[in-house]
Amino acid sequence: MSEHLQAQDVMKSYRLLGIGATTLIGAQYGDELDYMAAAWAGVCDYDKGYAVVAGSHFTRKLIEKSGRFIICYPTVGIVEQTMKLGTISMNDDKDKIKNSGAELFEAEGFSMPLVKGCAAWLEYEVIQDKHSDNPYEMFFGKCVRAMSDSRVYSNNHWNFDQAPDHLRTLHYVAGGHFFAIGKEIVLPQYEE
Amino acid sequence: MSEHLQAQDVMKSYRLLGIGATTLIGAQYGDELDYMAAAWAGVCDYDKGYAVVAGSHFTRKLIEKSGRFIICYPTVGIVEQTMKLGTISMNDDKDKIKNSGAELFEAEGFSMPLVKGCAAWLEYEVIQDKHSDNPYEMFFGKCVRAMSDSRVYSNNHWNFDQAPDHLRTLHYVAGGHFFAIGKEIVLPQYEE
C-alpha cells in the first residue's frame, strides 16, 4: 500500500475530517501504544481537531503523558479490527493491538506506528490551555502531519466512487452496525 | 411527512449525531430565524453536542441572544437547499431562508421552526461556563429535544437501506461535492 500514501496539507486537514467518519484514536508513550475506536472526534478549526477520550480509557493516559494523538479513518476493509479496537481495552489485555488483528506500519514524519488499511491519518499535538480541562474530556489538538490513501483522497478531495469499496470510510451506529460512506453527489454550479 | 416524525430520547442523541453527517445549524431570536450549513458540529457527550459557528455568521448572534440552537441532518432530497443555506449569508440577504428554497414547519416541543426534509432534528440549550468563550468559537449545548424521520431512524438506530434514497444523510467535502451515507455493514457477533 505504501505507493498510495500521500502527504496532505495540515491546513486542509478539516477536509479530511469533514465527512465525519468514525475514527481510531492512537497514542504512544514509551513502549506502550494504544488505538481505540471513537465516533466522538472531529474538526474544531482548519488545522485543529478534537477527540473525546474518557478518563477510563487507557489511551487517555498515553495522550496525557505524550502530548500527542493520532486520528485516523478506518475503512470497510478493517471493520472487524476497528470493532475490536473499540471493544477490547488495554486495561484488560496488554496484547490488545495484536489480538485485534490490526496491522501497524511506520510512516515518515509520524511519531508513532499507524494502523494499516485506513483512508487517512492525522497527527496532533495537544493544545494546553485553560480549555484542556473541560467537562467533556475533550482533547484539542493542532494537526502537525496529515496523510491519505491517494486512491480515496487526493488534491484535497475525497473520491470514493472510483476506488475499491473496501476503502470506504465507516460511520458507526451501535451494536456492531456501521454504514459505509456512499455515492458522491455533485452540484456542478458550485465546483471549484 | 408528519406521520413519520418520531420523538427520540435526548440521552441517546449521540447516536443520532454519531454517523457524522453535515448539519444545518438553526437559531431564532425574536422574528429573526437563520439556518446555516456546518460540517463542524457533533457529539461531546451522550446528551450534549457542539457546533463551531464563527463570529462572522449571522446565526452566531442569534444563538448568543437566544441561548438555543438546532442541529439537524439534511438529506439528499434537500441537497440544493442545504448548499444555498451554506453559501448565502443572512448578513447579505434577509430573505435567505425563502430564497434557499428550504421549507419550514413547526413541531411540538421545539422552540423554533424546523427545516423540512431532514433526517433528524435536535434542539440544544447553550451551556454557559468558562468554556463558552473558547478559541474555536464552539457552542456547547445540552440536548433538550430530539426527533427523527422514523423511516431512517427509529429504536435508536439508523436504517437507511430500507428507506428511499432521498432520505440519506449528506457528508460534505468541498466545492459542491457531497457523499450520501451508504450501505449498512453488520457484525452479527456484536448485535444488541
Side-chain angles (χ1 to χ4, degrees):
Chain A
M1 73 175 280
S2 62
E3 75 268 31
H4 301 299
L5 299 178
Q6 192 175 75
Q8 300 298 336
D9 179 359
V10 296
M11 289 306 298
K12 297 265 189 180
S13 59
Y14 70 96
R15 287 210 184 167
L16 282 159
L17 293 179
I19 57 164
T22 296
T23 71
L24 294 174
I25 308 294
Q28 184 177 41
Y29 184 72
D31 291 337
E32 293 185 311
L33 171 73
D34 195 9
Y35 273 93
M36 59 175 267
W40 302 4
V43 183
C44 59
D45 204 343
Y46 294 102
D47 64 337
K48 296 184 185 75
Y50 81 90
V52 174
V53 182
S56 56
H57 291 295
F58 192 85
T59 313
R60 185 166 183 101
K61 298 171 191 69
L62 300 179
I63 300 175
E64 286 172 345
K65 288 182 199 167
S66 67
R68 288 177 170 265
F69 62 95
I70 300 283
I71 296 181
C72 51
Y73 267 176
T75 62
V76 169
I78 60 165
V79 62
E80 301 226 11
Q81 294 91 322
T82 300
M83 195 70 203
K84 285 180 183 163
L85 291 172
T87 50
I88 309 171
S89 170
M90 204 170 272
N91 290 319
D92 305 319
D93 178 2
K94 289 290 168 197
D95 290 325
K96 167 187 173 176
I97 301 287
K98 186 179 158 204
N99 291 336
S100 75
E103 294 179 55
L104 302 174
F105 71 106
E106 303 271 354
E108 193 187 334
F110 286 86
S111 73
M112 68 193 88
L114 305 176
V115 173
K116 267 191 196 172
C118 291
W121 302 262
L122 302 103
E123 182 161 338
Y124 292 86
E125 284 178 3
V126 172
I127 298 168
Q128 289 288 359
D129 64 15
K130 64 179 180 176
H131 303 288
S132 302
D133 179 26
N134 61 73
Y136 318 111
E137 300 184 286
M138 271 182 167
F139 287 110
F140 296 102
K142 178 180 165 57
C143 187
V144 293
R145 187 83 179 171
M147 185 173 75
S148 72
D149 184 319
S150 61
R151 291 173 290 179
V152 289
Y153 186 94
S154 60
N155 300 317
N156 302 315
H157 278 80
W158 288 103
N159 306 285
F160 294 103
D161 289 357
Q162 285 76 46
D165 271 347
H166 70 83
L167 294 176
R168 288 183 183 267
T169 53
L170 296 168
H171 301 254
Y172 190 55
V173 182
H177 286 238
F178 294 83
F179 287 88
I181 196 70
K183 288 185 188 152
E184 190 162 14
I185 297 165
V186 179
L187 300 177
Q189 66 273 36
Y190 295 98
E191 283 206 90
E192 292 167 342
Chain B
M1 72 176 285
S2 61
E3 73 268 33
H4 301 299
L5 298 179
Q6 191 174 74
Q8 301 297 335
D9 179 359
V10 296
M11 289 307 297
K12 297 264 188 180
S13 59
Y14 70 97
R15 288 210 183 167
L16 282 159
L17 292 179
I19 57 163
T22 296
T23 71
L24 294 174
I25 307 296
Q28 184 177 40
Y29 184 72
D31 292 337
E32 293 185 311
L33 170 74
D34 196 8
Y35 273 93
M36 58 175 267
W40 302 5
V43 183
C44 58
D45 205 342
Y46 294 102
D47 64 337
K48 296 184 185 73
Y50 81 89
V52 174
V53 182
S56 56
H57 291 295
F58 192 85
T59 312
R60 185 166 183 101
K61 297 172 192 68
L62 300 179
I63 300 175
E64 286 172 346
K65 289 182 199 166
S66 68
R68 287 177 171 264
F69 61 96
I70 300 283
I71 295 181
C72 51
Y73 267 178
T75 63
V76 170
I78 59 165
V79 62
E80 300 225 10
Q81 293 90 321
T82 300
M83 194 70 202
K84 285 179 184 163
L85 291 172
T87 50
I88 308 171
S89 169
M90 204 169 272
N91 290 319
D92 306 320
D93 178 2
K94 290 290 169 197
D95 291 325
K96 167 187 173 176
I97 302 287
K98 186 178 156 205
N99 291 335
S100 75
E103 293 178 57
L104 303 174
F105 71 106
E106 303 271 353
E108 193 188 335
F110 286 87
S111 73
M112 68 194 90
L114 305 175
V115 173
K116 266 190 197 172
C118 291
W121 303 262
L122 302 103
E123 182 161 339
Y124 292 87
E125 284 178 3
V126 173
I127 298 167
Q128 289 289 358
D129 63 16
K130 64 179 180 176
H131 303 289
S132 302
D133 179 26
N134 62 71
Y136 317 112
E137 300 183 289
M138 271 182 167
F139 287 110
F140 296 102
K142 178 178 165 57
C143 188
V144 293
R145 187 84 181 170
M147 184 173 75
S148 72
D149 184 319
S150 61
R151 291 172 290 178
V152 289
Y153 186 95
S154 60
N155 300 318
N156 302 315
H157 277 81
W158 287 103
N159 305 286
F160 294 102
D161 289 358
Q162 285 76 46
D165 272 346
H166 71 83
L167 294 176
R168 288 183 183 267
T169 53
L170 296 168
H171 301 254
Y172 190 56
V173 182
H177 286 237
F178 294 82
F179 288 89
I181 196 70
K183 288 185 188 149
E184 190 161 15
I185 298 166
V186 179
L187 301 177
Q189 65 273 36
Y190 295 98
E191 282 205 90
E192 290 166 345

